[in-house]
Amino acid sequence: MNYILFDGTVRNSLLPFTFTRPVADIRVGILTIREKWEKYLGYTTTTLTEDYLMEKYPMVEMEENILINASFLPNEILVEMILNLEKNQAIVYEEEIVAFYSENTQQEIDFDTYEMLPLENEVMQIVHTWDIFSKNDKAIRDDFELLTQDRMSQPIPKSVNVIDPEHVFIEEGAKLEFVTLNASTGPIYIGKDAEIMEGSVIRGPFALCEHAQVKLATKIYGATTVGPHCRVGGEINNSVLFAYSNKGHDGFLGNSVLGEWCNIGADSNNSNLKNNYEEVKLWSYETGSFQKTGLQFCGLMMGDHSKCGINTMFNTGTVVGVSANIFGSGFPRNFVPSFAWGGASGFTTYQTKKAFETARIVMSRRGVVLDEVEQKILEFVFEETAKWRNF
C-alpha cells in the first residue's frame, strides 16, 4: 500500500510554519509528524501539499493509495484502522476526514459514495500554531515510548545528577557531564551525538534531538523540544525548536515555537504572560486579525530563517513570519510580516537578494546548501506575503 500525507483544512492556521513545509513536517514531541507516521506504518510516505512546495516534497501515486490527514498524530488504534482500510472507505473524526482509500488522487473524491468509519477513541490533532507547544508534553511522552520500547539506553555518566533515571534515555554518541536531569516530571530523551554542557539543569518532559547542543549552565523546563542541530542556552520553558535554530545565549524563551534556521540574539526575551493575566490573542493569517488562543501563557511564533538582534524584547503572543530580521530597542509589533527588516522604530522590506546571501552563509556553517528549490519556495513566500508588508 502507498501512503500519502495531505495537509487537510488546517494548513493556513499553521502559518507561518507551513509557508515552507507541509503539515507533515512540523515537529511536535521528539519526531516530526511524518516520522511518527512512518514509524507506526513501517513505510515511507510522500506528501500532497501546496503546488509551490511539491518540487521539494513530491507526491508518489500508485494504483492503490491511502491518504492520511497529516494534522492527526498516529496512535495504535488509528493505525490499525488505517491498515485495514478498503476501497470506498474513509475514517472520520468529529466530521473531519482522517484517512481514506483512493485509486486516483487527481480526481475529486465524492465522499457521499464512501463508507464512513467513525474514530471513536481520542486522537491528538495539531490545528493551531500554539498546539505545537501546548500539546508537546503528551507528544514527547508518546514519542519516548515509541522510540525506546525494547531498547537499552547508553549508561548515564557518573557525574550526572539524575532523578528517576529509568525515564532517561541516551542515544549513542551523546555527551553529558556534571548536569542535573529531573525525569520525575516527564521523560528525558537525549539524541544521537547530542551534547549537554556542564552546569545545565533540565526538567522533563524534554527532547534533545540528534546533533543538538545545550550550552553551559542552561535552565530548561518541560515540555521542551530542541530539534536536530539546534543550539540553546539561557532559560527555556515549554518551547519547540524545529531544527538548525539557535538560542545560544542568556535570555528567556517560553511557550514558543521556532522554525528552522532561526537565531535569537544574546539577552533577548519573550513575554509569555500578559501583565493583566488575560487570555492571549495571536495573529491569524486566515482571518487577517488577532485570534483568541484560550491560553494564558503564549509566547513567540517565529517562521523559518527569521532572526533577532541582541536584547530584543518580544511582547506576549508575537508572530514573526519567514525570513524577518528584527533589531533595535523597544517592543516590535505583535505581528511581524515575512521579509520585514527593522524593529519598534519601523520596518522596511528585506529584499530576497540580501536574505539569500545571509541564508547561504548561515546554512553553509552547518554544511547545508541553499539550493534553487529552496530559493523558489522562499521567493514564492516573498510574493505571497507582500500584502502584509504595508510599511
Side-chain angles (χ1 to χ4, degrees):
M1 186 59 69
N2 183 44
Y3 295 97
I4 301 169
L5 301 174
F6 68 94
D7 285 347
T9 60
V10 303
R11 187 254 174 186
N12 289 344
S13 65
L14 290 168
L15 296 170
F17 305 112
T18 46
F19 273 134
T20 46
R21 62 178 55 75
V23 172
D25 290 281
I26 285 174
R27 186 175 302 278
V28 57
I30 303 172
L31 305 169
T32 65
I33 297 172
R34 181 189 306 281
E35 289 168 346
K36 299 177 203 295
W37 276 109
E38 291 182 347
K39 282 197 171 290
Y40 268 98
L41 293 168
Y43 292 92
T44 57
T45 62
T46 59
T47 307
L48 179 59
T49 185
E50 299 292 306
D51 289 344
Y52 74 94
L53 293 172
M54 291 291 279
E55 187 174 357
K56 183 175 180 180
Y57 303 95
M59 180 181 70
V60 174
E61 184 183 17
M62 298 184 181
E63 289 184 1
E64 296 180 305
N65 308 283
I66 300 291
L67 279 83
I68 301 170
N69 187 330
S71 68
F72 288 91
L73 307 193
N75 59 42
E76 289 183 2
I77 293 171
L78 175 56
V79 170
E80 185 178 355
M81 290 180 70
I82 286 172
L83 292 174
N84 291 315
L85 269 179
E86 298 179 359
K87 291 181 180 180
N88 295 319
Q89 285 186 333
I91 300 167
V92 62
Y93 180 78
E94 295 181 352
E95 299 184 357
E96 185 160 9
I97 299 295
V98 178
F100 63 95
Y101 184 106
S102 173
E103 293 178 319
N104 189 343
T105 62
Q106 305 304 315
Q107 292 181 356
E108 188 171 342
I109 304 295
D110 181 7
F111 286 110
D112 289 337
T113 65
Y114 271 61
E115 178 189 0
M116 292 296 171
L117 307 176
L119 176 62
E120 295 174 347
N121 297 80
E122 187 177 345
V123 63
M124 193 187 305
Q125 186 182 15
I126 304 301
V127 177
H128 304 288
T129 53
W130 57 86
D131 289 341
I132 298 169
F133 73 78
S134 65
K135 297 182 179 180
N136 200 44
D137 186 304
K138 186 175 189 311
I140 289 177
R141 294 173 193 270
D142 290 348
D143 284 353
F144 187 88
E145 291 295 323
L146 181 66
L147 289 170
T148 65
Q149 190 172 17
D150 300 324
R151 295 179 62 217
M152 287 287 292
S153 167
Q154 296 295 307
I156 299 173
K158 291 182 179 179
S159 69
V160 173
N161 184 27
V162 60
I163 302 171
D164 278 10
E166 64 273 18
H167 295 133
V168 175
F169 194 94
I170 303 172
E171 296 282 8
E172 184 180 357
K175 296 187 291 185
L176 63 161
E177 297 283 356
F178 297 100
V179 303
T180 297
L181 304 177
N182 182 359
S184 68
T185 52
I188 294 176
Y189 175 86
I190 302 169
K192 183 180 178 183
D193 297 322
E195 180 181 16
I196 306 176
M197 293 185 181
E198 308 88 90
S200 295
V201 180
I202 296 170
R203 270 179 164 251
F206 174 69
L208 183 68
C209 298
E210 62 182 35
H211 298 284
Q213 185 183 74
V214 176
K215 301 184 83 172
L216 286 167
T218 300
K219 298 176 288 187
I220 300 179
Y221 302 83
T224 291
T225 297
V226 179
H229 301 274
C230 290
R231 295 172 183 170
V232 297
E235 182 179 5
I236 301 174
N237 176 46
N238 189 199
S239 296
V240 176
L241 289 76
F242 283 5
Y244 292 102
S245 286
N246 293 340
K247 184 222 166 292
H249 305 283
D250 283 344
F252 176 72
L253 182 74
N255 304 97
S256 298
V257 182
L258 305 185
E260 296 186 2
W261 305 107
C262 298
N263 189 71
I264 304 294
D267 286 320
S268 294
N269 295 277
N270 80 274
S271 168
N272 63 343
L273 174 67
K274 297 179 73 172
N275 285 358
N276 58 10
Y277 288 66
E278 285 185 353
E279 176 184 356
V280 180
K281 293 181 180 179
L282 210 61
W283 172 262
S284 167
Y285 285 89
E286 279 189 300
T287 64
S289 60
F290 286 88
Q291 176 183 3
K292 291 182 177 180
T293 63
L295 301 175
Q296 192 175 49
F297 290 90
C298 185
L300 171 67
M301 306 288 126
M302 179 179 276
D304 290 8
H305 292 283
S306 286
K307 297 166 177 58
C308 71
I310 61 171
N311 300 119
T312 302
M313 299 186 297
F314 290 106
N315 229 320
T316 322
T318 294
V319 175
V320 176
V322 173
S323 199
N325 200 309
I326 303 163
F327 52 88
S329 61
F331 288 94
R333 59 175 71 174
N334 283 43
F335 168 53
V336 178
S338 299
F339 293 91
W341 173 280
S345 58
F347 286 95
T348 59
T349 297
Y350 190 17
Q351 298 296 337
T352 53
K353 182 180 178 182
K354 284 188 68 177
F356 291 170
E357 286 173 1
T358 300
R360 284 190 195 96
I361 296 169
V362 169
M363 295 171 75
S364 67
R365 292 173 69 237
R366 304 294 187 89
V368 181
V369 175
L370 179 69
D371 59 22
E372 287 187 17
V373 174
E374 194 74 24
Q375 287 185 53
K376 285 179 188 175
I377 291 171
L378 293 173
E379 285 168 352
F380 183 92
V381 175
F382 179 83
E383 298 296 334
E384 185 76 4
T385 57
K387 57 190 172 186
W388 290 298
R389 290 192 297 274
N390 50 353
F391 307 134

